[in-house]
Amino acid sequence: MPRVLNLQAPYKIYVEEGDEVSLYYFITDQGTKYSISLIKSLEFDDYPFKDNLYEISFFPDKKSHRSDPKIKETIAAFILAFFQNTENILLFVADQSDGKHHARKRLFDLWKNEFDKNNDFTKLDIIFESEFTGTYYISVLYRNENSFSELIPYALEHGLQKYKSSK
Amino acid sequence: MSVKKFQITIYKNGKKIHEQNNVKENSHFVIVAKKLIENHQLVKGYIRNEKKLSELNAKGIKFTSPL
């Protein structure tokens, strides 16, 4: 029997824990299964916040044609629970495989504005444009009180600084 | 051989804090951003049963459940 997260969310969020894979999921009233994954990123190994940095992804198992506000409320409850550890940092890549990445980015912006009325969070948005593969949106979310709140944006730019100095 | 170029713009709470054009493919930031995007695509592939866990492990991806 999967563990259930103790959250104030419209849909119950379950934890599927295996030896190597841990996934979260919830089932909507329409029967759509949303999987939520958190993975550890090894890309910032040089930085002191590396242990609190997670990449989040969420995917439905089928397309839904009906708007369901409980989905955003459930994902928002999950994200807020994640930030009970005030040191945590969340990375979000807007999936662009179906060409709807602009809409996903806008949705993520709307959620942040809706659920962060007190402006407790900082959001960094990175627009990464490639002449070959198009535009990607990467967002980074963390609490203002995070011990590394000053360092995080610097860390993102650090590569660019290195690039500049090596030219 | 042509050199791939990238553009990177960073916003903090909606305010632009950095913009750079013509960033080369071998710059640190481009390598990091591409890795994050690749991670996302591999995780999606795994959840949709299109990728094997071994492929993700080989890339250093670890699923975790901090909640």
Side-chain angles (χ1 to χ4, degrees), chain A residues 3 5 15 17 20-24 35 37-44 54-55 57 59-60 78 81-82 91 93 95 97 112 121-132 136 138 156-157 159-161 163-164, chain B residues 2-14 17-18 20-24 26-37 39-41 43-48 53 57 59-67:
Chain A
R3 180 164 66 90
L5 292 186
V15 194
E17 284 169 312
E20 294 182 85
V21 179
S22 303
L23 285 172
Y24 303 88
S35 298
S37 69
L38 289 171
I39 63 166
K40 295 293 289 179
S41 175
L42 306 174
E43 305 317 308
F44 293 89
Y54 298 85
E55 275 186 78
S57 300
F59 304 105
F78 179 87
F82 171 82
L91 280 160
V93 177
D95 187 28
S97 57
K112 195 270 182 189
F121 291 87
T122 297
K123 184 158 77 67
L124 300 174
D125 294 303
I126 302 153
I127 304 175
F128 179 73
E129 293 173 74
S130 156
E131 58 189 319
F132 295 97
Y136 286 90
I138 302 170
L156 287 168
E157 293 184 48
L160 296 176
Q161 297 303 327
Y163 166 70
K164 278 181 189 170
Chain B
S2 68
V3 177
K4 289 184 182 176
K5 298 277 179 68
F6 299 86
Q7 179 173 329
I8 293 166
T9 314
I10 303 175
Y11 293 83
K12 184 177 180 182
N13 293 331
I17 59 169
H18 192 98
Q20 189 170 354
N21 300 313
N22 296 325
V23 183
K24 289 179 184 168
N26 62 359
S27 74
H28 174 77
F29 189 87
V30 170
I31 291 166
V32 168
K34 286 172 79 173
K35 179 66 180 163
L36 295 176
I37 292 162
N39 286 351
H40 171 78
Q41 288 167 342
V43 169
K44 179 180 175 183
Y46 174 75
I47 288 175
R48 296 192 170 170
L53 184 60
N57 288 342
K59 299 282 184 181
I61 293 173
K62 284 189 179 171
F63 288 90
T64 181
S65 52
L67 297 184

Side-chain angles (χ1 to χ4, degrees), chain A residues 71-84:
Chain A
I71 295 170
K72 74 172 179 184
E73 289 169 22
T74 302
I75 294 175
F78 179 87
I79 291 174
L80 289 173
F82 171 82
F83 280 112
Q84 281 176 3

